[in-house]
Amino acid sequence: MGRCQPLNRFSLHQTRQIAVLRYLQLALVVIGSCLFAVSAPATATKASPADATACSFQTFATSNPETLHVGYFELPPYAVTGTNGSVTGIWADYFKELLGRSGIQYTEAMYPPNRLARKAFTGQVDITLVANNILLTEGQKTVIFLPTPAMTMNLGLISLKHSPVLSIEAMQGKNLGVNRGYGYGGYIHQLKQPDIQLNLWPEDSEVQLIKMVLSQRLESALLYESVWESPPKHWQVNTDPLHFEPLKKSNFHIAINRQIDNVESLQRVLIHNMGLFDKNLKLKPCIKQ
């Protein structure tokens, strides 16, 4: 019988060809993997169910749905009475998003500050924004204050740049302009203490206070920073000559009527949904517009 030849024996030329083919195969696998990594969706950054919940609005549900009433006080650019009597401004836009996405039907109106407080105490206003829990002492039996501030802004003194007023103490024995009916988050009570020795000069609006300071009929007035920075165009005042000296920060909280049906649920929904807005009362990026 003849001798059997090994089945796996190849010539040197064939062996080299096989090696080259194997290298090519390996290179194609590596290239394919890279291309897949580039073109494939980035599943690693996909939001988890917890993240999705954090970026989703909760809806207020009650067995007795009612239309709630939102009250504002004039504070440009946050709450401004429009030409047709409607409420415009940052707060109006905020509540439109917050309440609308929470499934809450509501009406809205503007009130003088003192009247707004009385309406909140008596349940005639269901939702409003107040500075530093100003209603807490008087209204805690009828109003719930949400603990997290909706926003914060500076309260301070305006005066002319060429003779700036840098402290409350500098106004002792002088007339300090204030907005009639404003509590400034309770700060007005501090200014009325006998040891402060201030003469509070009330005016009916921020624009009147600004004009009084510009005309030097008042040396200084108490104002929220945003008001003199962005006065409404129809005021026709130039605030460039004014200096603003911050005194304190005021936190603005949402206050809700305790008599609302299922108010505890409403409180939880609003607290959660408030977290979906940034400090400027704008929706955070994770929220679909």
Side-chain angles (χ1 to χ4, degrees):
M1 291 178 70
R3 231 172 139 183
C4 293
Q5 299 294 324
L7 293 176
N8 294 325
R9 181 176 294 175
F10 298 97
S11 67
L12 179 60
H13 178 68
Q14 289 174 319
T15 302
R16 288 175 177 173
Q17 284 183 325
I18 292 172
V20 169
L21 288 174
R22 285 178 176 172
Y23 279 122
L24 288 173
Q25 185 180 30
L26 179 61
L28 288 173
V29 169
V30 172
I31 292 171
S33 298
C34 293
L35 289 174
F36 178 79
V38 171
S39 61
T43 54
T45 59
K46 185 177 180 180
S48 66
D51 293 334
T53 301
C55 286
S56 300
F57 277 83
Q58 293 181 2
T59 303
F60 173 58
T62 176
S63 58
N64 183 28
E66 55 184 314
T67 299
L68 303 183
H69 185 55
V70 178
Y72 306 93
F73 63 95
E74 189 95 19
L75 186 67
Y78 294 95
V80 181
T81 303
T83 53
N84 60 352
S86 62
V87 181
T88 62
I90 295 171
W91 285 349
D93 294 340
Y94 173 62
F95 276 122
K96 180 179 179 181
E97 289 284 0
L98 176 64
L99 301 183
R101 289 175 181 255
S102 301
I104 298 169
Q105 299 292 323
Y106 69 98
T107 59
E108 57 187 3
M110 191 83 76
Y111 299 100
N114 285 343
R115 188 179 173 199
L116 176 61
R118 289 195 299 270
K119 282 185 170 290
F121 295 155
T122 57
Q124 297 176 68
V125 165
D126 297 304
I127 300 178
T128 188
L129 272 165
V130 293
N132 289 351
N133 287 1
I134 189 173
L135 304 180
L136 185 56
T137 303
E138 213 172 330
Q140 57 184 341
K141 293 182 180 179
T142 55
V143 176
I144 295 174
F145 301 91
L146 302 191
T148 304
M151 61 170 295
T152 300
M153 60 178 137
N154 284 322
L155 177 67
L157 299 170
I158 60 167
S159 57
L160 292 174
K161 287 180 179 177
H162 62 71
S163 54
V165 176
L166 305 179
S167 68
I168 282 291
E169 290 71 24
M171 290 300 296
Q172 286 192 356
K174 301 177 181 179
N175 293 329
L176 176 67
V178 295
N179 202 320
R180 194 186 309 276
Y182 276 36
Y184 299 101
Y187 189 57
I188 199 75
H189 296 296
Q190 298 180 37
L191 299 182
K192 289 180 178 179
Q193 297 303 313
D195 57 322
I196 300 293
Q197 297 181 356
L198 278 178
N199 300 320
L200 299 181
W201 185 279
E203 290 290 339
D204 290 328
S205 67
E206 287 86 356
V207 65
Q208 285 300 113
L209 291 172
I210 292 173
K211 288 179 177 180
M212 292 282 283
V213 173
L214 288 172
S215 64
Q216 301 185 47
R217 286 178 286 173
L218 282 174
E219 186 174 344
S220 182
L222 197 62
L223 225 63
Y224 286 108
E225 185 172 18
S226 57
V227 176
W228 78 274
E229 279 186 329
S230 306
K233 291 182 179 179
H234 69 269
W235 282 5
Q236 296 181 345
V237 294
N238 177 19
T239 58
D240 291 341
L242 295 178
H243 168 79
F244 180 83
E245 185 67 25
L247 296 177
K248 64 189 295 289
K249 290 188 179 296
S250 286
N251 294 324
F252 282 77
H253 297 255
I254 290 179
I256 58 178
N257 180 7
R258 286 184 182 273
Q259 302 306 312
I260 296 172
D261 184 58
N262 203 6
V263 69
E264 292 83 6
S265 174
L266 173 62
Q267 184 178 1
R268 288 192 298 270
V269 168
L270 290 180
I271 289 174
H272 170 83
N273 292 348
M274 284 170 62
L276 306 180
F277 293 82
D278 61 24
K279 63 180 182 180
N280 297 314
L281 305 184
K282 300 295 184 183
L283 285 172
K284 291 181 178 178
C286 65
I287 308 300
K288 291 182 179 180
Q289 299 294 333

